[in-house]
Structures are given as C-alpha cells and as structure tokens.
C-alpha cells in the first residue's frame, strides 16, 4: 500500500480549497504517495457534538493514520504559521511521524518582525536578547519560524523549505510543496 | 510524588520571565502540583548541535515527563496564540496528556479578526463562510482561538478560560492561570 502524507496547511481557508487539495494529492501520487487532505475526511458529527469538535476529531484521526506530515507553514495573518497547522505539526512529532514543511515566504522570523512598524524599534535587552517595541524578546536563531516549529522539522533531517525566488501567489504556489514531496521520497 | 504541570506560554520572551515562572510554580505548589517552567530545564548543548535544537529537545523532554499541560494562549503578536506554545499543546495532546489553557484576552477569534482594519471588510462567500479582505475564510465557531487549539482543550473537559473582565497586564496577569490550576486540581 502506498505510504501516506497528511497535508496540513491553511489552504482549507481558501475558497478553492478543494481544487488545491486535489492538486496536492496529484503531486503526491506522482511520487508514489497517498496525499491526505483535511477537507477529504468524512465528517460524522455526533448528536450533541459541535461541528468544530467533529472537524478536530476527523483531522486527528486522519493524521494518526498517516506515515508523514507535510505542513504548509506560510505565515498566516501575521508573522508565523497558521496555529491549526501547528497543532497538527506538534501532534505528528509526538506521534513519532517524520515532519516536513515549507513556507512560501522567504526570510527569517526576526526579519518579518523587523519589517513591521508596530514592532519597531528593536532594542538590545540587558539579558543579551533583542526586544521588539511590545516589550517581548524576538527569537533570533536565523530560523524561518519559531524554533519549536523549525526544530521539529530538523529532527526529520530538513528545515523549513522556502522558494529560491519570491512567488507570485503565496497561498497557492506548489513549487516548494513539490520539493518537500521529493525530500520525503528521498528520505 | 506531586503531579506535575508543564507551563507552556510566551512568558519566556519577557525580560522578567524567570520571576513569572517562579510565581507560576508557587501557585502550582499551593494546589499540590509541581510546575515545570521551560526556562528551568537544564540545557545541555551537544557539540555540533545548535542552541535552538538544545532548547527544543529540553522542552520536549520536560513536557514528556509532565502529567498535564497548562498553556498560556494569550494572542502573541497577532490574532492567535504563540506558535511555540501551540507546538507543545499539539504534542501534549498526542501524548495523551490532559490539555488546559487560558487567554488573558477576552473575545473570540472572529472578533479579533474583525477588529483589525487590514482584514476588513469581511464578506460572505458563495460557500457560506465569511471571508476577510485577505481572501481567506475566517473561522467562525464562536471559539477563543482556532478550533484545533480549542477542541484539544475540550477533550480535557474545559475550553480556553478567559478573564471575566479586561486585565491590566495581559502578559503577566495570573488570575486566569490560577483558575486553570484549580480546574486541574478538580479534574
């Protein structure tokens, strides 16, 4: 049976989510994998149970059955990845599944913070850390996102892959996604 | 031996992180728990291993040894919780640990999105979902944060606790934190 990859990411929030999911599955199949896209899980809402609980349960069940997770970590409405995707990434790591991921936005977390006027000026704290204007330290490890995300991936042998050049449609570009699928095939 | 609670949250980014950690541990002890605060893990960087990898490994080890996780889910530099905290929440859920959490910011995710000019206007999509100006749907389940976070907590019997009234210092207020510790003691 083909090994399967859980396709985590904020695509579920796009109006054309189903089409993107189909395209991601097609690319997975090209490399011999079954892609599991969250929208495809059969929702079976129990009486007295909310739709959100049914989605959570279905996603976690689909994830538990996958061999790998491939997370789209493109920043979502802010400086970091979509938190729903990140819950799944943490769960997959704890389940012992190899964690792969990409972001369609190049650059590091600290560069994104430093580009937002609301967080400026950055200053040096007495503890040797850099602080943003909100009074909170900025992680400065040269990583694409928070270290707990990036290092969960490093345990699988890769970091967060990013495109070589800026992409036109960061919500839909699948070039770096395909590089991840190739990395999984080579793993 | 006292049961232990892993104290996940963005306090590690505060200049007075150690003091807040000590106060959280004191509150835990008051209810008979050992509080495990990420800054307290002994870092043992291996030769050739980065500091970020050492922090990740130490946090995950501390989490694996805990009986519960209590996550500070106060929005961090945006509309949702700190992603580092969320990785730990997902991992704890997958490890089968009861997940508790709070936010010092009242209101729902959709209310926070609707309060930010960058995401306005919201509009109704053909698929029945509400969309923000960024072209992505806004989760509208009446939950305090993304459903994958909120439902991981519901599995433990609570939702994300929030204060009854606005707090003065959302980074440091521990009133709702203490309510969570009481909820764990009662669980």
């Amino acid at each position: 049976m083909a090994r399967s990859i859980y396709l985590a990411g904020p695509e579920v929030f796009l109006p054309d989510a189903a089409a993107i999911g189909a395209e991601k599955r097609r690319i997975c199949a090209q490399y011999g994998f079954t892609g599991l896209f969250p929208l495809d899980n059969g929702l079976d809402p129990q009486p007295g149970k909310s739709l959100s609980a049914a989605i959570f349960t279905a996603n976690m069940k689909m994830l538990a059955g996958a061999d790998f997770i491939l997370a789209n970590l493109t920043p979502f409405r802010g400086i970091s990845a979509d938190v729903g995707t990140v819950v799944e990434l943490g769960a997959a790591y704890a389940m012992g599944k190899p964690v792969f991921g990409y972001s369609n936005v190049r650059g590091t977390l600290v560069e994104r913070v430093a580009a937002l006027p609301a967080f400026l000026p950055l200053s040096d704290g007495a503890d040797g850390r850099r602080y943003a204007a909100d009074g909170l330290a900025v992680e400065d490890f040269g990583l694409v996102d928070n270290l707990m995300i990036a290092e969960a991936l490093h345990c699988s042998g890769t970091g967060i892959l990013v495109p070589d050049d800026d992409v036109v449609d960061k919500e839909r570009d699948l070039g770096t996604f395909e590089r991840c699928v190739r990395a999984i095939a080579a793993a």
Side-chain angles (χ1 to χ4, degrees), chain A residues 19-181:
Chain A
I20 307 263
E23 181 61 11
K24 283 192 154 186
R25 279 198 311 268
R26 191 192 64 72
I27 292 169
C28 288
Q30 206 176 313
Y31 293 87
F33 296 108
T34 302
L36 304 173
F37 193 68
L39 279 192
D40 299 323
N41 47 38
L43 283 185
D44 184 23
Q46 304 295 308
K49 216 177 160 190
S50 65
L51 177 58
S52 58
I55 296 172
F56 175 84
T57 304
N59 287 1
M60 281 298 184
K61 189 177 164 189
M62 189 182 244
L63 175 60
D67 295 298
F68 302 92
I69 181 172
L70 200 178
N72 176 356
L73 300 166
T74 303
F76 179 77
R77 293 187 175 140
I79 53 169
S80 284
D82 164 49
V83 290
T85 302
V86 173
V87 169
E88 295 171 344
L89 183 154
Y93 174 83
M95 291 172 185
K97 299 183 193 300
V99 179
F100 292 81
Y102 69 100
S103 169
N104 276 338
V105 172
R106 305 166 68 213
T108 62
L109 176 62
V110 65
E111 286 167 351
R112 287 197 297 283
V113 172
L116 288 171
F119 298 125
L120 299 182
L122 300 189
S123 57
D124 292 325
D127 57 8
R129 300 193 290 182
R130 295 177 80 190
Y131 281 82
D134 58 7
L136 292 152
V138 185
E139 255 196 33
D140 191 8
F141 293 110
L143 298 168
V144 172
D145 206 330
N146 182 291
L147 78 87
M148 295 301 294
I149 295 176
E151 294 298 342
L153 270 72
H154 283 156
C155 293
S156 305
T158 70
I160 301 171
L161 298 192
V162 295
D164 293 327
D165 298 294
D166 289 347
V167 301
V168 174
D169 186 345
K170 70 182 172 64
E171 319 301 352
R172 291 173 181 81
D173 193 284
L174 295 180
T176 310
F177 168 82
E178 184 164 351
R179 279 174 53 208
C180 284
V181 178

